């Protein structure tokens, strides 16, 4: 049997194509400004991409489950604000405080999942509503950008354990986590439920359990993103999360995860997040105003999806081998 | 002692009774066939057995003990494994992941070991004598036949006490059918129970020790396969046929050609068909499931692209879309296979459904003429004797027969004079069946041309003027009125099978 | 008319509930703070509600047709900036500028619809991308310079009152558009097609409904109403600025959801959306009275949406019927 390049690229989680796009963009940057990808530069790129990577990680799991999570915008803001409220805490109390921040994210996710599953409501509307609620709470906690992050956290955000920048380390940890998670029964159950709820039920998958896991992970990841944002800027923002909702969905979609559920994975999403991030560098190098980055991101998103749907239509027409 | 016993099982869906106090018993060490017409309750029963549905009333007993737990997991623990016709595979997972779903071997880190999974799958396939399916392929990339084999392997993987095969051969080629029958036989000989649901009498005769027949949600009876003849089985399945189920048939076809197809083809499913349909004629289409009927009907209705040429009322046309098919110059209307998902807007009133395809005719100055709309609706309701409280009743709340009449009314509200009936009596009560047949003959007599496919050969024999038999995407025979018999049609479908 | 009323009371429709909700909020707040019901304040609220209401016309159509339009905020903003930039405060220029803007807005909506209907791009992705592209382009084009003030004629339409009866001009603009929307929705073939496409695309297609054309038209209408709201909003704000469309993404979808439409498509009516727009605006009116800040409003907004979709949930209704 002959395996063409396109079928190879279409295999696994569908991250072949975005990876090619990422390399093309990176290649362009390297051409325009040689030495753009030294270790120091990579660390900077990583640091600026990690917030999006975290949010998009949770979004990937939810989209694989066949849902969508808009509330990550609120959760990110709330986590960043909480992170910046207690600069006075002594070092030892910081871990429980971090656990609390992530716990809040988890609870928000569980609330989403329970409302969606028990009332059989549409994820889009439910998470739109909880986004508003959680962002509102963030605004109540801290009405505007500000606060102070505990010095230890701020230092941590720029630390280099084992000589590796913390953002790079976090990215590696995240990929390790994914390498583990994608092979667990829960990941397969989430895929199954996202692919076809009825078949999943017949295969003894708990539809509510997979929802709780997916939205719970999404909440924790969004909280982690908010925490990381706070350590990078030294302050919290009750509205910053809104900037990440749409890019997170874009990263997921560019990464080859289908909004219809069941397919996709984190490798593609991380690739997608870096594609979105590097467009900024391209725009900078072309000496365009930074707003071209937004336009480019939108255009890439549409082009990737249109290409994908054309390829899919063609492969459907040729039919599965019979 | 019976391994499996079901008592007084009742299940309703809305107003429709699918099972009405049915009972069933089967022993270990037998292949037990369950037979019945479409809508007799077979699939509802096996869904209850396998935990996909919960019965409203009645109890299931295994080895004499009442089963109290519900759900697919409970059924699995009780040793019941279903092989569904609709397939329960997850298309985005691999073959191996599907077969062992939830029972995968885990590494110390609680990860699913791919290598172990694939090795186990390969071993299972070798044991079963299956080859040609790689364990790491995505189910999505398999053909329907291969998916069916995987579904069967999955049912066998857990070595169940009770294996349920629900129309498991519908997408298999003959030697695969032999393979499956052999496996069923061997399991029974090893002391397990196999429940075998099929429409194909030949298979049932070959493999089943006993037969239970269902009709209208009730158990008609159980018999040893060797002790009962085909005629008796058919009589049990059909019951006392309504005296006038089928209308009297007068030849009403004229010489005028309504539809002429030459070299009509669709993908791999339909490989070049030539036929003509005349004004006033009911042309029957027969064939086993998946032999091109669906593609033929969808192509003529403009829903799929096709090759070859087509003439409608003597004019060459290319049908681009269903809208184009329904437009004034062409006038081809389809009564689709699945009325709940293709025929009706279930959450909309009968009125909106009836006029949906005819709105351009009912619009004046851009606005819908409400009086004209009401006239069309009330005329259809009385002409087709649709039983509705008011035209505002939601289509989804009607009985199967009345729903089908609403779909029919939608076709008749258009200008179309070529009608395509795809299995119009599926899930329809006997009384409405008779009405639909009478309506078809009336329509033919008043100048419509009708193409009529049915899974029930008796309907074709008694309603159609001619029948063409499809086999592997080609016409294997066209039988004129004086040669129509169930026997001949069945043989023609079989001949095609053997030839291919 | 009577059976309609009794049926409505026996099993209240989401639309009826939405109006009752709006009435309840209005009465309760008026009792608490009598100034709330003052005609001047009421007409201010109506004007604010009208902008959400106009944007939500298109959003209702798109959602009824089974889609969603997330490109509303920056399409609205683009139309607003174009209005002030092109007219340069001249009333006369409105005659050619406004039609041009409305046609372009509808055209951008149609591009959304084309990609969604013909290229099978998911609505969320397409309209989201359109939104950010418009945002980026608008920043690039304006370079942050504020365009000149809005022509006075537009300011009169958005802020003015009809002297003899004292009612705001915007009320009549909204009423006229609402009437058209309701006629389109109920009395035209397009309206029927829209519900059919949103209910079940397969059935619609097999019944000869022009599925692609209907979808494209719905998004074009949404582009048109967002553009129109943008033009009118420059009159209200007396200028245009970047970010003026941002609130309308949330409020337009929220108004549709509160009005009882299913986000899955096929059901709902602009009649309900009007009530949704009123409720959202009344809630905004609570802020000064209860000295609430923006955070509290967001919490209330979210809770109201959840409440509205939850009471429309068949699951919940079944649960209470069983009790």
């Amino acid at each position: 049997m002959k395996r063409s390049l396109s079928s190879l690229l279409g295999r696994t989680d569908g991250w072949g194509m975005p990876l090619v796009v990422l390399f093309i963009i990176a290649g362009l940057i390297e051409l325009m400004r040689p030495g753009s990808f030294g270790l120091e530069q990579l660390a900077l790129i990583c640091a600026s991409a990690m917030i999006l990577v975290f949010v998009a990680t949770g979004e990937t799991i939810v989209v694989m489950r066949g849902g969508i999570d808009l509330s990550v915008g609120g959760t990110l803001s709330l986590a960043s604000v909480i992170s910046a409220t207690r600069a006075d805490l002594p070092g030892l109390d910081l871990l429980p405080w971090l656990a609390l921040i992530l716990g809040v994210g988890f609870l928000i996710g569980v609330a989403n999942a329970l409302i969606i599953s028990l009332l059989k409501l549409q994820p889009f509307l439910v998470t739109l509503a909880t986004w508003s609620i959680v962002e509102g709470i963030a605004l109540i906690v801290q009405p505007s950008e500000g606060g102070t992050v505990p010095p230890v956290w701020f230092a941590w955000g720029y630390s280099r354990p084992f000589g590796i920048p913390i953002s790079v380390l976090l990215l590696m940890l995240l990929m390790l986590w994914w390498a583990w998670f994608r092979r667990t029964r829960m990941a397969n159950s989430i895929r199954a439920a996202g692919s076809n709820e009825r078949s999943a039920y017949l295969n003894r998958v708990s539809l509510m359990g997979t929802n709780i896991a997916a939205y719970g992970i999404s909440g924790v990841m969004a909280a982690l993103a908010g925490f990381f944002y706070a350590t990078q800027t030294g302050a919290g923002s009750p509205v910053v999360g809104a900037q990440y909702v749409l890019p997170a969905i874009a990263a997921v979609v560019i990464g080859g995860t289908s909004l219809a559920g069941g397919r996709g994975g984190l490798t593609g999403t991380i690739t997608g997040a870096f594609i979105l991030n590097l467009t900024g560098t391209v725009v900078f190098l072309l000496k365009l105003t930074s707003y071209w980055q937004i336009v480019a991101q939108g255009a890439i998103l549409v082009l990737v999806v249109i290409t994908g749907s054309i390829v899919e239509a063609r492969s459907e027409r040729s039919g599965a081998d019979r | 002692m019976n391994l499996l016993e079901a008592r007084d099982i009742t299940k309703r869906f809305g107003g429709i009774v699918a099972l009405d106090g049915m009972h069933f018993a089967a022993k270990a060490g037998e292949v037990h066939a369950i037979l019945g017409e479409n809508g007799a309750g077979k699939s509802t029963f096996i869904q209850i057995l396998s935990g996909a549905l919960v019965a409203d009333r009645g109890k299931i007993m295994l080895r004499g003990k009442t089963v109290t737990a519900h759900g697919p997991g409970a059924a699995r623990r009780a040793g019941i494994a279903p092989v569904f016709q609709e397939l329960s595979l997850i298309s985005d997972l691999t073959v191996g992941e599907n077969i062992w779903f939830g029972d995968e071997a885990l590494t110390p880190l609680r990860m699913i070991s791919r290598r172990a999974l694939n090795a186990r799958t390969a071993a299972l396939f070798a044991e079963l004598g299956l080859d040609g399916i790689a364990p790491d392929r995505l189910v999505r990339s398999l053909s329907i036949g291969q998916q069916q084999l995987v579904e069967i392997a999955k049912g066998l993987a857990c070595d169940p006490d009770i294996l349920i095969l629900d129309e498991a051969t519908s997408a298999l080629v003959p030697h695969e059918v032999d393979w499956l029958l052999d496996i069923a036989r061997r399991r029974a000989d090893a002391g397990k129970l196999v429940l075998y649901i099929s429409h194909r009498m030949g298979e049932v005769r070959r493999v089943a020790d006993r037969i239970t027949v269902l009709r209208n949600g009730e158990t008609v009876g159980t018999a040893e396969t060797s002790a009962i003849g085909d005629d008796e089985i058919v009589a049990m399945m059909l019951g006392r046929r309504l005296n006038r189920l089928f209308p009297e048939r007068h030849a009403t076809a004229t010489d005028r050609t309504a539809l002429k197809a030459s070299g009509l083809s669709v993908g791999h499913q339909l490989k070049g068909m030539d036929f003509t349909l005349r004004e006033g004629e009911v042309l029957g289409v027969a064939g086993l499931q998946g032999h091109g009927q669906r593609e033929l009907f969808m192509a003529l209705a403009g829903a799929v692209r096709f090759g070859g040429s087509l003439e409608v009322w003597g004019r060459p046309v290319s049908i681009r879309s269903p809208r184009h098919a329904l437009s004034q110059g062409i006038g081809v209307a389809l009564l689709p296979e699945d009325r709940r998902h293709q025929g009706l807007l279930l959450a909309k009133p009968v009125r909106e459904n009836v006029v949906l395809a005819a709105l351009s005719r009912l619009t004046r100055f851009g606005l819908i003429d409400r009086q004209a709309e009401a006239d069309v609706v009330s005329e259809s309701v009385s002409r087709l004797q649709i039983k509705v409280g008011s035209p505002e009743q939601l289509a989804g709340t009607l009985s199967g027969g009345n729903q089908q009449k609403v779909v029919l009314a939608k076709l008749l509200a258009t200008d179309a004079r070529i009608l395509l009936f795809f299995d119009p009596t599926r899930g329809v009560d006997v009384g409405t069946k008779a009405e639909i047949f009478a309506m078809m003959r009336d329509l033919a007599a008043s100048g419509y041309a009708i193409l009529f496919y049915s899974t029930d050969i008796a309907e074709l024999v008694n309603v159609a003027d001619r029948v063409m038999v499809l086999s592997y995407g080609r016409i294997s025979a066209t039988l004129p009125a004086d040669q129509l018999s169930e026997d001949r049609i069945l043989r023609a479908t079989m001949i095609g099978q053997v030839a291919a | 008319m009577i059976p309609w009323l009794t049926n409505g009371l026996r099993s209240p429709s989401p639309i009826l509930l939405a109006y009752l909700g709006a009435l309840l909020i209005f009465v309760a707040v008026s009792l608490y703070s009598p100034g709330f019901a003052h005609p001047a304040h009421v007409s201010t609220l109506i004007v604010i509600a009208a902008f959400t209401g106009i944007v939500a016309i298109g959003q209702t159509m798109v959602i009824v047709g089974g889609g969603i339009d997330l490109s509303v905020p920056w399409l609205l903003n683009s139309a607003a900036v174009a209005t002030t930039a092109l007219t340069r405060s001249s009333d006369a220029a409105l005659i050619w500028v406004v039609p041009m803007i409305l046609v372009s807005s509808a055209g951008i909506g149609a591009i959304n619809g084309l990609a969604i209907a013909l290229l099978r791009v998911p609505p969320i992705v397409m309209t989201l991308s359109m939104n950010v592209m418009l945002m980026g382009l608008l920043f690039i084009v304006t370079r942050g310079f504020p365009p000149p003030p809005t022509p006075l004629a537009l300011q009169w339409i958005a802020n003015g009152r009809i002297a003899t009866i004292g009612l705001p001009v915007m009320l009549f603009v909204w009423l006229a558009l609402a009437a058209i929307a309701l006629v389109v929705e109920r009395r035209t073939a397009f309206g029927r097609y829209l519900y059919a496409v949103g209910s079940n695309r397969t059935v619609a297609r097999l019944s000869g409904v022009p599925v692609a054309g209907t979808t494209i038209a719905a998004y074009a209408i949404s582009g048109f109403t967002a553009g129109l709201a943008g033009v009118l909003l420059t009159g209200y704000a007396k200028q245009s600025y970047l970010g003026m469309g941002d609130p309308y993404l949330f409020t337009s979808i929220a108004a549709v959801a509160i009005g009882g439409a299913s986000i899955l498509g096929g059901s709902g009516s602009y009649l309900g959306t009007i009530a949704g727009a009123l409720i959202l605006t009344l809630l905004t009116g609570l802020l000064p009275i209860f000295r609430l800040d923006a955070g509290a409003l967001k919490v209330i907004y979210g809770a109201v949406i959840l409440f509205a979709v939850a009471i429309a949930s068949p699951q919940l209704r079944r649960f209470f019927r069983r009790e």
Side-chain angles (χ1 to χ4, degrees), chain C residues 95-293:
Chain C
I95 293 166
W96 64 271
V97 167
V98 172
M100 199 193 76
I101 288 174
L102 296 181
V103 170
S104 324
S105 302
I108 292 171
I111 293 173
N112 281 333
L114 269 168
I116 290 160
L118 300 181
L119 298 174
R120 298 200 296 176
V121 181
I124 292 181
V125 171
M126 184 60 218
T127 56
L128 202 59
S129 307
M130 182 60 84
N131 192 47
V132 296
M133 286 192 283
L134 290 173
M135 171 167 99
L137 288 173
L138 202 54
F139 271 102
I140 293 163
V141 170
T142 57
R143 292 194 201 90
F145 287 116
T150 313
L152 290 173
L154 260 185
Q155 294 196 26
W156 178 78
I157 292 177
N159 287 317
R161 308 238 162 140
I162 293 175
T164 45
I165 39 180
L167 291 170
V169 181
M170 274 303 285
L171 175 63
F172 295 97
V173 174
W174 188 17
L175 282 178
L177 290 169
I180 295 171
L182 288 171
V183 168
V184 167
E185 168 190 301
R186 280 150 199 229
R187 297 292 308 271
T188 64
F190 167 73
R192 288 285 176 82
Y193 291 158
L194 199 57
Y195 284 91
V197 170
S199 302
N200 185 327
R201 287 173 69 89
T202 308
V203 173
R205 199 167 86 90
L206 290 177
S207 303
V209 171
V211 174
T214 304
T215 305
I216 294 167
Y219 283 95
I221 291 173
S222 184
F224 179 89
T225 55
L228 180 61
V231 171
L232 293 169
L233 204 57
T234 59
Y236 183 72
K238 302 188 172 68
Q239 57 170 338
S240 67
Y241 53 91
L242 298 179
M244 68 195 294
D246 281 344
Y248 292 95
L249 175 60
F250 184 83
T251 53
S252 67
I253 296 172
V256 176
I258 294 172
S262 159
I263 200 84
L264 293 175
S267 75
S269 164
Y270 186 63
L271 201 58
T273 304
I274 295 175
L278 292 175
I279 287 182
L280 289 169
T281 310
L282 286 170
L283 292 174
T284 324
L286 297 182
L287 295 190
I289 296 171
F290 295 99
R291 297 219 178 79
L292 297 174
D293 53 19

Side-chain angles (χ1 to χ4, degrees), chain B residues 378-457:
Chain B
S378 65
E379 192 203 313
S380 316
V381 167
S382 62
R383 179 178 177 190
L384 294 167
Q385 297 170 15
I386 307 174
K387 292 176 196 71
V388 286
S390 92
E392 299 307 315
Q393 192 174 343
L394 301 186
T397 63
L398 300 176
S399 72
N402 277 307
Q403 285 185 353
Q404 196 67 305
K405 287 182 181 176
V406 173
V407 182
L408 190 49
K410 178 168 74 175
L411 307 195
L412 298 182
T414 68
D415 299 320
R417 283 183 53 226
I418 299 173
L419 305 179
L420 314 171
F421 285 70
F422 195 99
D423 211 4
T425 57
R426 169 185 290 210
V428 162
D429 59 286
V430 184
T432 307
K433 277 186 190 179
E435 290 178 53
I436 289 176
F437 297 140
M439 175 63 66
M440 284 168 68
R441 291 308 324 181
D442 284 352
L443 290 170
S446 60
Y448 282 82
I450 296 175
L451 197 64
F452 169 40
Y453 167 70
S454 173
T455 45
D456 184 346
I457 297 177

Side-chain angles (χ1 to χ4, degrees), chain B residues 118-277:
Chain B
N118 290 340
R120 228 171 135 192
T121 310
L124 175 74
F125 282 179
E127 184 194 325
L128 295 176
L130 265 179
D131 48 32
I133 303 176
D136 61 348
R137 274 186 72 180
L138 284 181
V139 162
R140 179 158 23 98
S141 72
L142 301 178
S143 71
I144 295 290
Q146 288 174 317
Q147 292 188 18
Q148 186 135 41
L149 292 173
V150 173
E151 175 95 11
I152 292 167
K154 182 181 164 196
L156 291 165
C158 61
D159 190 24
D161 292 339
I162 303 175
L163 177 70
I164 303 174
L165 297 170
D166 176 19
E167 300 282 358
T169 56
S170 59
L172 300 186
V173 296
H175 77 266
E176 291 167 340
V177 173
D178 294 341
W179 167 81
L180 181 63
L181 296 187
D182 185 47
I183 284 182
R185 189 66 262 158
R186 278 191 282 143
R187 291 196 69 78
D189 293 344
K192 312 280 187 182
L193 169 61
V194 178
L195 298 184
Y196 197 90
I197 293 94
S198 177
H199 277 112
R200 301 181 183 175
M201 193 68 86
E203 293 173 11
V204 170
R205 281 240 166 260
R206 276 169 63 193
V207 74
D209 300 301
R210 289 198 296 163
I211 292 172
T212 293
V213 177
L214 302 186
R215 188 174 69 229
N216 296 332
E218 295 175 43
T219 309
V220 183
T222 300
E224 300 280 332
T225 314
S226 53
I228 186 170
D230 282 3
D231 295 346
E232 265 178 280
I233 295 176
V234 171
M236 283 167 84
M237 283 166 63
L238 300 181
R240 198 163 43 84
R241 281 224 194 244
L242 274 195
N243 289 336
R244 278 175 295 144
L245 178 58
F246 298 113
E248 272 184 52
R249 181 172 44 189
H250 304 287
T252 52
T254 69
D255 291 336
R256 218 176 143 209
T257 301
L259 188 97
K260 181 163 186 272
S262 326
L264 191 70
S265 65
V266 177
H268 302 295
Q269 286 84 36
L270 204 60
K271 301 164 183 160
M273 285 184 69
D274 304 308
F275 68 91
T276 51
L277 167 65

Side-chain angles (χ1 to χ4, degrees), chain A:
Chain A
M1 194 166 62
K2 203 172 73 182
R3 276 204 178 132
S4 63
L5 183 68
S6 70
S7 82
L8 204 66
L9 289 178
R11 264 168 56 89
T12 56
D13 299 338
W15 44 262
M17 244 246 297
L19 207 61
V20 170
V21 175
L22 180 64
F23 278 129
I24 291 174
I25 294 180
L28 281 177
I29 293 174
E30 186 65 29
L31 270 180
M32 286 189 281
R33 191 183 64 188
S36 287
F37 296 98
L39 192 64
E40 291 310 304
Q41 282 75 16
L42 277 179
L44 279 176
I45 294 169
C46 240
S48 67
M50 269 324 275
I51 300 168
L52 177 57
V53 167
F54 278 129
V55 182
T57 297
E59 196 69 62
T60 306
I61 313 291
V62 171
V63 171
M64 269 169 54
R65 172 60 184 82
I68 195 157
D69 188 356
L70 304 176
S71 71
V72 288
T75 310
L76 196 165
S77 301
L78 183 60
S80 85
V81 167
I82 300 177
S83 301
T85 44
R86 299 293 300 271
D88 53 320
L89 275 181
L92 277 182
D93 291 345
L94 284 176
L95 269 180
W97 192 239
L98 176 61
L100 176 103
I101 291 171
L102 301 185
V104 166
F106 182 69
L107 286 182
I108 293 169
V110 171
N112 282 327
L114 289 179
I115 296 171
I116 290 166
S117 288
L118 291 177
L119 297 180
K120 296 221 156 71
L121 295 178
Q122 277 306 303
F124 185 91
L125 273 186
V126 170
T127 57
L128 185 73
T130 50
W131 176 10
S132 182
I133 292 174
V134 176
E135 188 172 296
I137 294 172
L139 280 164
I140 292 169
V141 173
Q142 185 186 297
S144 64
E145 212 156 315
T148 315
V149 167
V152 182
W153 282 357
F154 190 68
W156 178 84
Y158 288 90
S159 65
R160 298 186 161 221
F162 320 111
I164 308 169
I166 192 75
S167 53
V168 177
L169 196 66
L170 285 172
L171 182 65
M172 284 158 60
L173 283 176
L174 197 63
M175 288 166 92
L176 265 181
W177 171 80
W178 172 246
W180 171 78
F181 182 74
R182 66 194 289 260
R183 288 265 162 270
T184 59
R185 278 192 187 156
M186 179 49 84
N188 269 9
S189 297
I190 287 174
R191 253 179 226 283
S195 183
N196 183 331
E197 289 207 342
R198 169 144 183 95
S199 292
Y201 174 74
L202 291 176
N203 283 292
R204 298 163 287 151
V205 169
S206 159
L207 299 182
M208 201 198 294
T210 47
N211 260 337
I212 289 174
Y215 287 92
I217 290 173
S218 181
V220 170
M221 287 294 169
L224 206 52
F227 167 75
F228 189 73
Y229 170 85
T231 66
Q232 294 297 298
T233 60
S237 161
V239 291
V240 65
Q243 298 168 22
Y244 286 95
V245 178
L246 312 185
I249 296 171
V252 169
V253 172
I254 292 173
T257 299
S258 159
L259 282 180
R263 306 183 201 182
L266 190 58
T267 318
T269 298
I270 292 177
T271 313
F274 276 92
I275 289 175
L276 292 174
N277 196 268
L278 286 187
T279 52
T281 314
V282 174
V283 165
F284 173 78
L285 290 175
L286 289 174
K287 298 192 172 62
L288 296 168
T289 61
S290 62
Y291 300 115
W292 279 106
Q293 181 185 3
I294 309 174
V295 181
Q297 289 179 346
I300 289 176
L301 179 55
V302 172
L303 287 178
V304 166
V305 173
I306 289 178
T307 316
S309 89
I310 289 173
V311 168
E312 196 168 316
R314 194 166 289 171
S315 74
E316 257 169 39
R317 208 167 297 154
S318 67
D321 43 345
R322 303 176 60 84

